[in-house]
Short mmCIF file of all heavy atoms in Angstrom, two decimals:
data_model
loop_
_atom_site.label_atom_id
_atom_site.label_comp_id
_atom_site.label_asym_id
_atom_site.label_seq_id
_atom_site.Cartn_x
_atom_site.Cartn_y
_atom_site.Cartn_z
N ARG A 1546 199.62 46.83 82.48
CA ARG A 1546 200.30 45.76 83.22
C ARG A 1546 199.63 44.39 82.97
O ARG A 1546 199.38 43.62 83.89
CB ARG A 1546 200.33 46.09 84.71
CG ARG A 1546 199.00 46.44 85.34
CD ARG A 1546 199.14 46.61 86.85
NE ARG A 1546 197.84 46.79 87.46
CZ ARG A 1546 197.35 47.97 87.85
NH1 ARG A 1546 198.06 49.08 87.69
NH2 ARG A 1546 196.14 48.06 88.40
N ILE A 1547 199.40 44.11 81.69
CA ILE A 1547 198.81 42.83 81.30
C ILE A 1547 199.80 41.70 81.60
O ILE A 1547 201.01 41.84 81.40
CB ILE A 1547 198.43 42.86 79.80
CG1 ILE A 1547 197.25 43.81 79.59
CG2 ILE A 1547 198.08 41.47 79.30
CD1 ILE A 1547 196.82 43.97 78.15
N GLU A 1548 199.28 40.56 82.08
CA GLU A 1548 200.12 39.43 82.50
C GLU A 1548 199.89 38.23 81.59
O GLU A 1548 199.02 38.23 80.71
CB GLU A 1548 199.77 39.04 83.94
CG GLU A 1548 199.91 40.16 84.95
CD GLU A 1548 199.51 39.70 86.34
OE1 GLU A 1548 200.09 38.74 86.84
OE2 GLU A 1548 198.58 40.31 86.91
N ASP A 1549 200.67 37.18 81.86
CA ASP A 1549 200.50 35.91 81.16
C ASP A 1549 199.35 35.15 81.82
O ASP A 1549 199.35 34.92 83.03
CB ASP A 1549 201.79 35.09 81.25
CG ASP A 1549 201.74 33.81 80.44
OD1 ASP A 1549 200.64 33.42 80.00
OD2 ASP A 1549 202.80 33.19 80.25
N ASN A 1550 198.37 34.74 81.03
CA ASN A 1550 197.21 34.04 81.57
C ASN A 1550 197.57 32.69 82.18
O ASN A 1550 196.84 32.18 83.05
CB ASN A 1550 196.16 33.84 80.47
CG ASN A 1550 194.87 33.27 81.01
OD1 ASN A 1550 194.23 33.85 81.87
ND2 ASN A 1550 194.49 32.09 80.51
N ALA A 1551 198.70 32.10 81.78
CA ALA A 1551 199.10 30.80 82.32
C ALA A 1551 199.26 30.85 83.84
O ALA A 1551 199.07 29.84 84.52
CB ALA A 1551 200.40 30.33 81.66
N ARG A 1552 199.58 32.02 84.34
CA ARG A 1552 199.74 32.17 85.79
C ARG A 1552 198.44 31.87 86.53
O ARG A 1552 198.45 31.49 87.70
CB ARG A 1552 200.21 33.60 86.08
CG ARG A 1552 200.37 33.93 87.54
CD ARG A 1552 200.84 35.36 87.73
NE ARG A 1552 200.90 35.71 89.13
CZ ARG A 1552 201.17 36.93 89.59
NH1 ARG A 1552 201.42 37.91 88.73
NH2 ARG A 1552 201.19 37.16 90.88
N TYR A 1553 197.32 32.05 85.87
CA TYR A 1553 196.01 31.90 86.52
C TYR A 1553 195.32 30.59 86.16
O TYR A 1553 194.15 30.41 86.47
CB TYR A 1553 195.12 33.10 86.16
CG TYR A 1553 195.70 34.39 86.67
CD1 TYR A 1553 196.53 35.16 85.85
CD2 TYR A 1553 195.48 34.80 87.97
CE1 TYR A 1553 197.11 36.33 86.33
CE2 TYR A 1553 196.04 35.97 88.46
CZ TYR A 1553 196.87 36.72 87.64
OH TYR A 1553 197.43 37.88 88.12
N TYR A 1554 196.07 29.70 85.51
CA TYR A 1554 195.45 28.42 85.12
C TYR A 1554 194.96 27.62 86.32
O TYR A 1554 193.89 27.01 86.27
CB TYR A 1554 196.43 27.60 84.28
CG TYR A 1554 195.77 26.43 83.59
CD1 TYR A 1554 194.92 26.64 82.50
CD2 TYR A 1554 195.96 25.12 84.05
CE1 TYR A 1554 194.30 25.57 81.88
CE2 TYR A 1554 195.33 24.05 83.43
CZ TYR A 1554 194.50 24.29 82.34
OH TYR A 1554 193.86 23.23 81.74
N PRO A 1555 195.68 27.57 87.45
CA PRO A 1555 195.14 26.85 88.61
C PRO A 1555 193.80 27.41 89.10
O PRO A 1555 192.94 26.65 89.56
CB PRO A 1555 196.24 27.02 89.68
CG PRO A 1555 197.49 27.24 88.89
CD PRO A 1555 197.06 28.03 87.70
N LEU A 1556 193.62 28.71 88.99
CA LEU A 1556 192.34 29.32 89.38
C LEU A 1556 191.21 28.79 88.49
O LEU A 1556 190.11 28.48 88.95
CB LEU A 1556 192.46 30.84 89.26
CG LEU A 1556 191.48 31.70 90.05
CD1 LEU A 1556 191.67 31.52 91.54
CD2 LEU A 1556 191.65 33.16 89.65
N TYR A 1557 191.52 28.68 87.19
CA TYR A 1557 190.55 28.12 86.24
C TYR A 1557 190.22 26.67 86.58
O TYR A 1557 189.05 26.27 86.57
CB TYR A 1557 191.12 28.23 84.83
CG TYR A 1557 190.42 27.40 83.78
CD1 TYR A 1557 189.09 27.65 83.46
CD2 TYR A 1557 191.08 26.37 83.12
CE1 TYR A 1557 188.44 26.89 82.49
CE2 TYR A 1557 190.45 25.62 82.15
CZ TYR A 1557 189.13 25.88 81.84
OH TYR A 1557 188.49 25.13 80.89
N ARG A 1558 191.24 25.88 86.90
CA ARG A 1558 190.99 24.47 87.22
C ARG A 1558 190.12 24.33 88.47
O ARG A 1558 189.27 23.45 88.55
CB ARG A 1558 192.31 23.74 87.41
CG ARG A 1558 193.18 23.67 86.17
CD ARG A 1558 194.42 22.84 86.43
NE ARG A 1558 194.16 21.43 86.34
CZ ARG A 1558 194.94 20.49 86.85
NH1 ARG A 1558 196.03 20.84 87.53
NH2 ARG A 1558 194.65 19.21 86.73
N ALA A 1559 190.32 25.21 89.44
CA ALA A 1559 189.50 25.16 90.66
C ALA A 1559 188.05 25.48 90.33
O ALA A 1559 187.12 24.81 90.82
CB ALA A 1559 190.04 26.13 91.71
N ALA A 1560 187.82 26.53 89.53
CA ALA A 1560 186.46 26.90 89.17
C ALA A 1560 185.80 25.81 88.31
O ALA A 1560 184.62 25.49 88.48
CB ALA A 1560 186.46 28.22 88.41
N GLN A 1561 186.55 25.25 87.40
CA GLN A 1561 186.04 24.17 86.55
C GLN A 1561 185.68 22.96 87.41
O GLN A 1561 184.63 22.32 87.20
CB GLN A 1561 187.11 23.80 85.52
CG GLN A 1561 186.69 22.74 84.53
CD GLN A 1561 187.86 22.35 83.64
OE1 GLN A 1561 188.86 21.82 84.12
NE2 GLN A 1561 187.75 22.62 82.35
N THR A 1562 186.51 22.64 88.38
CA THR A 1562 186.24 21.50 89.26
C THR A 1562 184.98 21.74 90.09
O THR A 1562 184.16 20.83 90.28
CB THR A 1562 187.44 21.26 90.19
OG1 THR A 1562 188.61 21.05 89.39
CG2 THR A 1562 187.22 20.05 91.08
N ARG A 1563 184.82 22.97 90.57
CA ARG A 1563 183.61 23.30 91.33
C ARG A 1563 182.36 23.13 90.47
O ARG A 1563 181.36 22.55 90.91
CB ARG A 1563 183.71 24.74 91.85
CG ARG A 1563 182.70 25.12 92.91
CD ARG A 1563 181.36 25.58 92.35
NE ARG A 1563 181.53 26.54 91.28
CZ ARG A 1563 180.66 26.66 90.28
NH1 ARG A 1563 179.60 25.89 90.19
NH2 ARG A 1563 180.87 27.56 89.32
N ALA A 1564 182.41 23.59 89.22
CA ALA A 1564 181.26 23.48 88.33
C ALA A 1564 180.92 22.01 88.05
O ALA A 1564 179.74 21.62 88.07
CB ALA A 1564 181.54 24.22 87.02
N ARG A 1565 181.94 21.21 87.82
CA ARG A 1565 181.69 19.79 87.56
C ARG A 1565 181.18 19.08 88.80
O ARG A 1565 180.29 18.21 88.72
CB ARG A 1565 182.98 19.14 87.05
CG ARG A 1565 183.38 19.63 85.66
CD ARG A 1565 184.74 19.11 85.22
NE ARG A 1565 185.05 19.52 83.86
CZ ARG A 1565 186.18 19.23 83.23
NH1 ARG A 1565 187.12 18.51 83.85
NH2 ARG A 1565 186.37 19.63 81.98
N ALA A 1566 181.74 19.43 89.96
CA ALA A 1566 181.29 18.80 91.20
C ALA A 1566 179.84 19.14 91.49
O ALA A 1566 179.06 18.28 91.91
CB ALA A 1566 182.19 19.25 92.36
N ASP A 1567 179.46 20.39 91.27
CA ASP A 1567 178.06 20.77 91.48
C ASP A 1567 177.14 20.01 90.53
O ASP A 1567 176.02 19.63 90.89
CB ASP A 1567 177.89 22.28 91.29
CG ASP A 1567 178.14 23.06 92.58
OD1 ASP A 1567 178.04 22.46 93.67
OD2 ASP A 1567 178.42 24.27 92.50
N TRP A 1568 177.59 19.82 89.29
CA TRP A 1568 176.79 19.05 88.32
C TRP A 1568 176.62 17.61 88.82
O TRP A 1568 175.49 17.09 88.85
CB TRP A 1568 177.50 19.08 86.97
CG TRP A 1568 176.72 18.47 85.83
CD1 TRP A 1568 175.94 19.12 84.93
CD2 TRP A 1568 176.68 17.08 85.45
NE1 TRP A 1568 175.40 18.24 84.01
CE2 TRP A 1568 175.84 16.97 84.31
CE3 TRP A 1568 177.25 15.92 85.95
CZ2 TRP A 1568 175.57 15.77 83.68
CZ3 TRP A 1568 176.98 14.71 85.32
CH2 TRP A 1568 176.15 14.63 84.20
N LEU A 1569 177.71 16.97 89.20
CA LEU A 1569 177.64 15.59 89.68
C LEU A 1569 176.70 15.47 90.88
O LEU A 1569 175.86 14.57 90.96
CB LEU A 1569 179.04 15.10 90.07
CG LEU A 1569 180.01 14.81 88.93
CD1 LEU A 1569 181.43 14.65 89.47
CD2 LEU A 1569 179.58 13.56 88.16
N TYR A 1570 176.85 16.39 91.79
CA TYR A 1570 176.07 16.36 93.03
C TYR A 1570 174.59 16.61 92.74
O TYR A 1570 173.72 15.85 93.18
CB TYR A 1570 176.63 17.43 93.97
CG TYR A 1570 176.18 17.33 95.41
CD1 TYR A 1570 176.76 16.42 96.27
CD2 TYR A 1570 175.19 18.18 95.90
CE1 TYR A 1570 176.36 16.34 97.60
CE2 TYR A 1570 174.79 18.11 97.22
CZ TYR A 1570 175.38 17.19 98.07
OH TYR A 1570 174.99 17.11 99.38
N GLY A 1571 174.31 17.67 92.00
CA GLY A 1571 172.91 18.04 91.74
C GLY A 1571 172.19 17.05 90.85
O GLY A 1571 171.06 16.64 91.15
N ILE A 1572 172.82 16.64 89.76
CA ILE A 1572 172.16 15.73 88.82
C ILE A 1572 171.85 14.39 89.48
O ILE A 1572 170.73 13.88 89.40
CB ILE A 1572 173.05 15.52 87.57
CG1 ILE A 1572 173.06 16.77 86.69
CG2 ILE A 1572 172.60 14.29 86.77
CD1 ILE A 1572 171.75 17.05 85.97
N ASN A 1573 172.83 13.81 90.16
CA ASN A 1573 172.64 12.46 90.70
C ASN A 1573 171.69 12.43 91.89
O ASN A 1573 170.82 11.54 91.98
CB ASN A 1573 174.01 11.87 91.07
CG ASN A 1573 174.78 11.45 89.83
OD1 ASN A 1573 174.38 10.53 89.11
ND2 ASN A 1573 175.89 12.13 89.56
N LEU A 1574 171.81 13.37 92.81
CA LEU A 1574 170.91 13.35 93.96
C LEU A 1574 169.50 13.77 93.57
O LEU A 1574 168.52 13.24 94.11
CB LEU A 1574 171.45 14.25 95.07
CG LEU A 1574 172.77 13.79 95.69
CD1 LEU A 1574 173.11 14.62 96.92
CD2 LEU A 1574 172.73 12.31 96.07
N THR A 1575 169.38 14.71 92.64
CA THR A 1575 168.04 15.09 92.18
C THR A 1575 167.35 13.91 91.51
O THR A 1575 166.17 13.64 91.76
CB THR A 1575 168.13 16.28 91.21
OG1 THR A 1575 168.59 17.43 91.92
CG2 THR A 1575 166.78 16.59 90.58
N ARG A 1576 168.06 13.19 90.67
CA ARG A 1576 167.44 12.02 90.02
C ARG A 1576 167.09 10.94 91.04
O ARG A 1576 166.01 10.35 90.99
CB ARG A 1576 168.37 11.47 88.94
CG ARG A 1576 168.45 12.38 87.71
CD ARG A 1576 169.04 11.67 86.50
NE ARG A 1576 168.91 12.49 85.31
CZ ARG A 1576 168.94 12.02 84.07
NH1 ARG A 1576 169.10 10.73 83.85
NH2 ARG A 1576 168.81 12.84 83.03
N ALA A 1577 168.00 10.70 91.98
CA ALA A 1577 167.74 9.65 92.97
C ALA A 1577 166.50 9.97 93.80
O ALA A 1577 165.62 9.11 93.98
CB ALA A 1577 168.96 9.48 93.88
N TRP A 1578 166.40 11.20 94.28
CA TRP A 1578 165.25 11.52 95.16
C TRP A 1578 163.97 11.72 94.36
O TRP A 1578 162.88 11.45 94.86
CB TRP A 1578 165.59 12.72 96.03
CG TRP A 1578 165.94 12.25 97.41
CD1 TRP A 1578 165.14 12.23 98.50
CD2 TRP A 1578 167.17 11.63 97.82
NE1 TRP A 1578 165.78 11.66 99.57
CE2 TRP A 1578 167.03 11.28 99.17
CE3 TRP A 1578 168.36 11.33 97.17
CZ2 TRP A 1578 168.05 10.65 99.90
CZ3 TRP A 1578 169.37 10.71 97.89
CH2 TRP A 1578 169.21 10.38 99.23
N THR A 1579 164.08 12.15 93.11
CA THR A 1579 162.88 12.22 92.28
C THR A 1579 162.32 10.83 92.03
O THR A 1579 161.09 10.61 92.08
CB THR A 1579 163.19 12.92 90.95
OG1 THR A 1579 163.61 14.26 91.22
CG2 THR A 1579 161.98 12.96 90.04
N LEU A 1580 163.19 9.87 91.79
CA LEU A 1580 162.74 8.50 91.52
C LEU A 1580 162.10 7.86 92.75
O LEU A 1580 161.07 7.20 92.64
CB LEU A 1580 163.92 7.66 91.02
CG LEU A 1580 164.42 8.04 89.61
CD1 LEU A 1580 165.76 7.37 89.32
CD2 LEU A 1580 163.39 7.67 88.56
N ILE A 1581 162.68 8.06 93.93
CA ILE A 1581 162.02 7.49 95.11
C ILE A 1581 160.77 8.30 95.46
O ILE A 1581 159.83 7.77 96.06
CB ILE A 1581 162.96 7.40 96.33
CG1 ILE A 1581 163.37 8.80 96.83
CG2 ILE A 1581 164.18 6.55 96.02
CD1 ILE A 1581 164.04 8.79 98.19
N GLY A 1582 160.75 9.58 95.02
CA GLY A 1582 159.54 10.38 95.21
C GLY A 1582 158.37 9.80 94.44
O GLY A 1582 157.24 9.78 94.92
N ARG A 1583 158.64 9.33 93.22
CA ARG A 1583 157.57 8.69 92.43
C ARG A 1583 157.02 7.47 93.18
O ARG A 1583 155.80 7.26 93.24
CB ARG A 1583 158.11 8.26 91.08
CG ARG A 1583 158.48 9.39 90.15
CD ARG A 1583 159.01 8.82 88.83
NE ARG A 1583 159.55 9.85 87.96
CZ ARG A 1583 160.16 9.61 86.82
NH1 ARG A 1583 160.32 8.35 86.42
NH2 ARG A 1583 160.63 10.59 86.07
N GLN A 1584 157.94 6.68 93.74
CA GLN A 1584 157.50 5.49 94.47
C GLN A 1584 156.69 5.87 95.71
O GLN A 1584 155.81 5.13 96.14
CB GLN A 1584 158.71 4.65 94.87
CG GLN A 1584 159.49 4.09 93.69
CD GLN A 1584 160.80 3.44 94.12
OE1 GLN A 1584 161.16 3.44 95.30
NE2 GLN A 1584 161.52 2.86 93.16
N ALA A 1585 157.02 7.07 96.28
CA ALA A 1585 156.31 7.52 97.47
C ALA A 1585 155.04 8.29 97.12
O ALA A 1585 154.34 8.77 98.02
CB ALA A 1585 157.22 8.40 98.32
N GLY A 1586 154.74 8.42 95.83
CA GLY A 1586 153.50 9.07 95.41
C GLY A 1586 153.62 10.53 95.08
O GLY A 1586 152.61 11.21 94.88
N HIS A 1587 154.85 11.06 94.99
CA HIS A 1587 155.02 12.47 94.64
C HIS A 1587 155.31 12.59 93.15
O HIS A 1587 156.32 12.10 92.66
CB HIS A 1587 156.16 13.11 95.44
CG HIS A 1587 156.45 14.52 95.01
ND1 HIS A 1587 155.62 15.57 95.34
CD2 HIS A 1587 157.46 15.05 94.27
CE1 HIS A 1587 156.11 16.68 94.82
NE2 HIS A 1587 157.23 16.39 94.17
N ASP A 1588 154.44 13.29 92.42
CA ASP A 1588 154.58 13.42 90.98
C ASP A 1588 155.26 14.75 90.66
O ASP A 1588 154.62 15.74 90.33
CB ASP A 1588 153.22 13.36 90.30
CG ASP A 1588 153.33 13.42 88.78
OD1 ASP A 1588 154.41 13.10 88.26
OD2 ASP A 1588 152.34 13.80 88.13
N GLY A 1589 156.56 14.80 90.79
CA GLY A 1589 157.29 16.03 90.52
C GLY A 1589 158.77 15.83 90.79
O GLY A 1589 159.18 14.82 91.38
N VAL A 1590 159.57 16.79 90.34
CA VAL A 1590 161.01 16.72 90.57
C VAL A 1590 161.31 17.09 92.01
O VAL A 1590 160.77 18.05 92.54
CB VAL A 1590 161.76 17.67 89.61
CG1 VAL A 1590 163.22 17.82 90.01
CG2 VAL A 1590 161.66 17.18 88.18
N LEU A 1591 162.17 16.33 92.66
CA LEU A 1591 162.69 16.66 93.98
C LEU A 1591 164.16 17.05 93.80
O LEU A 1591 165.04 16.20 93.77
CB LEU A 1591 162.55 15.48 94.94
CG LEU A 1591 161.12 15.15 95.37
CD1 LEU A 1591 161.10 13.91 96.26
CD2 LEU A 1591 160.50 16.32 96.10
N SER A 1592 164.39 18.33 93.60
CA SER A 1592 165.75 18.79 93.31
C SER A 1592 166.56 18.89 94.59
O SER A 1592 166.08 19.33 95.63
CB SER A 1592 165.73 20.13 92.58
OG SER A 1592 165.22 21.13 93.42
N VAL A 1593 167.80 18.47 94.49
CA VAL A 1593 168.74 18.49 95.61
C VAL A 1593 170.01 19.16 95.12
O VAL A 1593 170.46 18.89 94.01
CB VAL A 1593 169.06 17.06 96.11
CG1 VAL A 1593 170.03 17.10 97.28
CG2 VAL A 1593 167.77 16.33 96.49
N GLY A 1594 170.60 20.02 95.91
CA GLY A 1594 171.82 20.70 95.50
C GLY A 1594 172.68 21.05 96.69
O GLY A 1594 172.21 21.14 97.82
N ARG A 1595 173.96 21.28 96.42
CA ARG A 1595 174.92 21.57 97.48
C ARG A 1595 174.58 22.85 98.22
O ARG A 1595 174.87 22.99 99.41
CB ARG A 1595 176.32 21.67 96.88
CG ARG A 1595 177.41 22.04 97.87
CD ARG A 1595 178.76 22.12 97.21
NE ARG A 1595 178.82 23.11 96.15
CZ ARG A 1595 179.17 24.40 96.34
NH1 ARG A 1595 179.49 24.81 97.55
NH2 ARG A 1595 179.22 25.23 95.33
N VAL A 1596 173.97 23.83 97.55
CA VAL A 1596 173.66 25.11 98.18
C VAL A 1596 172.19 25.20 98.58
O VAL A 1596 171.86 25.51 99.71
CB VAL A 1596 174.04 26.28 97.24
CG1 VAL A 1596 173.64 27.61 97.86
CG2 VAL A 1596 175.54 26.26 96.96
N GLN A 1597 171.29 24.94 97.63
CA GLN A 1597 169.88 25.16 97.91
C GLN A 1597 169.37 24.26 99.03
O GLN A 1597 168.53 24.68 99.84
CB GLN A 1597 169.02 24.96 96.67
CG GLN A 1597 169.03 23.54 96.12
CD GLN A 1597 167.88 23.29 95.14
OE1 GLN A 1597 166.76 23.05 95.54
NE2 GLN A 1597 168.19 23.36 93.87
N THR A 1598 169.88 23.03 99.12
CA THR A 1598 169.36 22.11 100.13
C THR A 1598 169.77 22.51 101.55
O THR A 1598 168.93 22.49 102.45
CB THR A 1598 169.78 20.66 99.80
OG1 THR A 1598 169.32 20.36 98.46
CG2 THR A 1598 169.16 19.68 100.77
N PRO A 1599 171.03 22.90 101.81
CA PRO A 1599 171.33 23.42 103.15
C PRO A 1599 170.55 24.69 103.50
O PRO A 1599 170.21 24.90 104.67
CB PRO A 1599 172.83 23.70 103.08
CG PRO A 1599 173.35 22.75 102.07
CD PRO A 1599 172.26 22.68 101.03
#
Side-chain angles (χ1 to χ4, degrees):
R1546 52 174 186 258
I1547 291 177
E1548 303 178 58
D1549 185 347
N1550 187 59
R1552 178 180 175 186
Y1553 297 93
Y1554 193 73
L1556 201 64
Y1557 165 64
R1558 296 184 80 199
Q1561 183 186 64
T1562 303
R1563 194 275 313 151
R1565 292 174 176 179
D1567 272 339
W1568 187 95
L1569 287 167
Y1570 194 79
I1572 287 290
N1573 285 295
L1574 295 189
T1575 294
R1576 288 197 172 202
W1578 258 260
T1579 298
L1580 290 168
I1581 66 167
R1583 292 180 188 175
Q1584 296 172 357
H1587 174 74
D1588 183 21
V1590 169
L1591 289 177
S1592 66
V1593 181
R1595 177 180 61 91
V1596 176
Q1597 65 164 280
T1598 304

